[in-house]
Amino acid sequence: MNVSLGWDWRRALGALATVAAIAWGPGAASAQDIKLPLYAADGHVGVTSCAGSTCHGAVEPFKGSNVLQNEFVTWQREDKHSRAYAVLLNDRSKRIARNLGLENAHTAKLCLDCHADNVGADMRGRQFQLSDGVGCEACHGGSRRWLGTHVAGATHEENIKAGLFPTDDPVLRAKLCISCHFGVDSQTKFVTHKIMGAGHPRMPFELDTFTTIQPAHYVIDDDYRKRKKTPSGVQVWAIGQALQMAAMLESVLDGSRNRQGVFPELVVFDCHACHHQMSQEIDLRFQGRRSVALPPGYPRFNDANLVMLRIIANRIDPALGQRLSQRTTEFHKAVAGSFDAYQGKARELLAVVNEMSRRAAAHGFSGDDMRALLTGLLDEGKNGELFDYAAAEQAVMALGSIISAMKTAGAIDNARLEQMNAALERCYAATADDELYRPADFAAAIEGFRSLIR
Ligand code: HEC
Ligand code: HEC
Ligand code: HEC
Ligand code: HEC
């Protein structure tokens, strides 16, 4: 079975040096009770309501305003979210719909819940249009209550009380993005292996990288820092890893979606463990991994996020790192046991991952931390833990995230940044095509960083 699972975020990732992010301490609103925009009770007025030329629809950024005011133009012209609905009308979507027995992709709730702002009919204002795709309110929350007051100059806190979704909070942002870039529980929305099998692309995700490549319709300046949370890119990365892993484990524990006949839901397994050619020398490539400890011939849980979390845990709390490593190996091994034992191990691992979320949200990552994380990443590579494509891909995104955060924190100078970006380019090249991926080439490319960490 050889399907193209390729993906092109590298092309979108521009110069790393320009990424803005600043240290952010603990004290995040735990905000458990804040609902995702799609599931909250506030009406959605529609993108047009935000796009007035004196509001967010200016052609050029406004001078002397807190916000750019040309957000709409950026979103409409450059941001793929504005085209997310249109995608449902293309040939690929038609084929997916046909394979799934859906009448149309663009009328199916299954697709619209992620490719548009698909709130109930009673929640839609007069100017609301589904065809606007993933519009402002799909991320910023239904604005019926806050539209009036925010125009009149309410504070960020007041807006949040009135239903604005706090996209600046890294934990809540992670939940928001992951709800579409992976899914939320089976009752709501999810891309299953069945949907992938019908033709949906693979959906790799990393919160900091994706925050960076979404064309920015905001600037983080002094004024922004006064009003909002500005976590470092490394912290955003760490939080994203933990929440993504938690979402995957929650899906394993969700009895209503996890079994497909005799198989577990395959979407949380390493795609390339099954989808690679067998005929060529490079594709007969089993190599035992210490942390996985499974014999050849078993599908592996996609543990890319777990490898990243281990690196983070080993740095911020070695005892926690130990526990995470142990639970990870037990979980992998349980794939070869009974279904109940497997779920039991998933539950134990989830408890540690949830602790990681809390710790990552409370840790202010220093320049020394960042250097140690880079070294940790290289060491995992050396130990063969970045052997699978999914892990290599996460490692490359992690490298980008850590390097740009180091630059922002003043932990590296421009000359070093240039050298690191050159080394990063070699890692991009080694992971550019998942079908042609050669673990040994990637291992060599990532090792090129070793001499640059000081
Ligand atoms: C859980 C959310 C979710 C669901 C459900 C979902 N998608 Fe997607 N879809 C995404 C995301 C996120 C991407 C972008 C992946 C990327 O590029 O990183 C995407 C990408 C796509 C693409 C490729 C777009 C491009 O620019 O090439 C197509 C086509 C597509 N989806 C069709 C569908 C269809 C048809 C359905 C319904 C059967 C569906 N999707 C259901 C989230 C979802
Ligand atoms: C895919 C999610 C997403 C979509 C869609 C989106 N935004 Fe944003 N927006 C963000 C994120 C993330 C931030 C940065 C964090 C923050 O400031 O809250 C942001 C920030 C902003 C800011 C804050 C700027 C500041 O200085 O405080 C404004 C204003 C804004 N967006 C307006 C819009 C408008 C108008 C639209 C629609 C045309 C839109 N956004 C669509 C995610 C999104
Ligand atoms: C309501 C669902 C939804 C939410 C919420 C959402 N996205 Fe997306 N996102 C999508 C879909 C669907 C696509 C694919 C659109 C396409 O290909 O045309 C996409 C595409 C993207 C892309 C382009 C990927 C590529 O391959 O070029 C980036 C970057 C992105 N999203 C970042 C984010 C970030 C960051 C957040 C959180 C702040 C977020 N998204 C929240 C649904 C969503
Ligand atoms: C345990 C093995 C296994 C894993 C892991 C797995 N798949 Fe599959 N996949 C299969 C099998 C079996 C089929 C059905 C093949 C067929 O119909 O000929 C399939 C079919 C597909 C197809 C349709 C192929 C075709 O030729 O029609 C796609 C696309 C796909 N998978 C994508 C993925 C993605 C993306 C992932 C990871 C998120 C993944 N798969 C993980 C075993 C796996």
Side-chain angles (χ1 to χ4, degrees):
M1 235 176 317
N2 178 21
V3 291
S4 177
L5 309 174
W7 173 61
D8 65 346
W9 53 266
R10 285 163 206 81
R11 257 183 275 147
L13 192 60
L16 285 163
T18 57
V19 181
I22 328 89
W24 171 75
S30 62
Q32 292 294 351
D33 45 334
I34 294 184
K35 287 210 175 88
L36 293 174
L38 184 56
Y39 307 112
D42 291 306
H44 292 220
V45 300
V47 171
T48 319
S49 311
C50 314
S53 61
T54 54
C55 301
H56 299 294
V59 180
E60 297 289 333
F62 266 43
K63 294 200 175 61
S65 162
N66 274 350
V67 304
L68 292 172
Q69 301 200 207
N70 68 341
E71 294 85 358
F72 170 75
V73 175
T74 305
W75 170 83
Q76 191 187 41
R77 290 194 188 151
E78 297 168 32
D79 194 323
K80 281 196 178 174
H81 291 114
S82 66
R83 294 188 275 277
Y85 173 90
V87 157
L88 297 179
L89 296 163
N90 73 16
D91 288 345
R92 184 172 193 168
S93 288
K94 287 191 178 127
R95 217 189 73 201
I96 298 172
R98 205 166 48 240
N99 287 341
L100 292 172
L102 298 170
E103 199 175 331
N104 286 302
H106 68 279
T107 51
K109 178 172 166 25
L110 177 63
C111 312
L112 289 169
D113 275 356
C114 290
H115 283 263
D117 188 16
N118 196 27
V119 289
D122 55 331
M123 300 280 281
R124 300 177 186 177
R126 258 175 297 133
Q127 295 189 295
F128 180 97
Q129 289 191 7
L130 206 53
S131 59
D132 282 331
V134 179
C136 320
E137 290 165 294
C139 288
H140 292 295
S143 66
R144 182 153 290 156
R145 275 192 300 138
W146 55 262
L147 186 63
T149 47
H150 112 288
V151 170
T155 65
H156 188 50
E157 278 67 33
E158 286 163 349
N159 289 330
I160 288 170
K161 279 205 196 93
L164 182 85
F165 189 83
T167 37
D168 59 326
D169 180 290
V171 172
L172 289 165
R173 187 194 305 165
K175 288 190 172 162
L176 170 70
C177 311
I178 290 168
S179 75
C180 290
H181 284 266
F182 175 69
V184 276
D185 66 73
S186 63
Q187 312 316 320
T188 44
K189 50 180 176 178
F190 224 93
V191 172
T192 56
H193 184 256
K194 180 176 165 190
I195 300 175
M196 299 240 165
H200 198 279
R202 196 169 65 89
M203 305 201 299
F205 185 75
E206 190 278 288
L207 184 61
D208 188 50
T209 303
F210 272 61
T211 297
T212 304
I213 62 182
Q214 181 190 0
H217 53 271
Y218 53 92
V219 235
I220 298 179
D221 53 14
D222 286 343
D223 156 70
Y224 183 103
R225 278 176 211 121
K226 268 186 227 133
R227 292 182 285 117
K228 289 184 164 179
K229 288 173 187 148
T230 50
S232 81
V234 166
Q235 187 171 35
V236 171
W237 168 68
I239 290 171
Q241 293 297 321
L243 277 123
Q244 216 174 325
M245 193 60 221
M248 286 171 81
L249 289 170
E250 276 159 13
S251 82
V252 168
L253 290 169
D254 181 346
S256 62
R257 72 171 296 262
N258 192 15
R259 287 302 276 275
Q260 314 263 300
V262 297
F263 294 111
E265 167 52 68
L266 294 178
V267 86
V268 291
F269 284 79
D270 178 7
C271 314
H272 303 90
C274 297
H275 293 285
H276 66 74
Q277 294 168 351
M278 294 183 288
S279 55
Q280 293 166 21
E281 176 230 330
I282 61 162
D283 292 303
L284 281 175
R285 58 183 173 192
F286 176 80
Q287 176 183 293
R289 281 178 43 202
R290 207 182 302 162
S291 72
V292 178
L294 271 174
Y298 279 94
R300 289 178 295 283
F301 190 85
N302 178 353
D303 67 343
N305 301 123
L306 284 171
V307 177
M308 302 303 127
L309 283 173
R310 185 160 70 226
I311 296 166
I312 299 161
N314 284 342
R315 172 64 190 177
I316 66 181
D317 180 351
L320 183 58
Q322 273 285 311
R323 247 186 309 144
L324 181 67
S325 298
Q326 195 186 338
R327 297 276 185 271
T328 297
T329 308
E330 287 168 4
F331 174 61
H332 277 303
K333 278 172 54 182
V335 167
S338 77
F339 192 72
D340 288 347
Y342 174 59
Q343 289 220 320
K345 291 299 172 194
R347 202 168 288 116
E348 287 175 17
L349 179 57
L350 178 59
V352 184
V353 169
N354 284 338
E355 190 175 340
M356 280 298 298
S357 308
R358 289 188 291 275
R359 297 294 294 273
H363 192 81
F365 289 83
S366 67
D368 283 345
D369 284 335
M370 296 176 197
R371 259 186 293 273
L373 292 171
L374 268 189
T375 307
L377 207 53
L378 299 190
D379 290 345
E380 293 284 353
K382 209 168 185 173
N383 293 335
E385 289 290 324
L386 304 177
F387 187 81
D388 294 319
Y389 182 78
E393 182 179 61
Q394 275 296 333
V396 173
M397 292 194 268
L399 284 169
S401 174
I402 298 171
I403 294 169
S404 63
M406 284 174 96
K407 172 64 186 139
T408 309
I412 47 171
D413 59 18
N414 281 331
R416 185 45 51 92
L417 177 70
E418 241 170 66
Q419 291 168 316
M420 285 188 164
N421 274 338
L424 189 58
E425 281 300 324
R426 290 191 286 277
C427 293
Y428 285 159
T431 49
D433 185 336
D434 59 338
E435 308 257 298
L436 301 176
Y437 172 67
R438 285 167 174 269
D441 291 351
F442 180 66
I446 194 175
E447 208 39 44
F449 274 94
R450 182 91 52 188
S451 65
L452 302 176
I453 308 172
R454 250 173 285 132

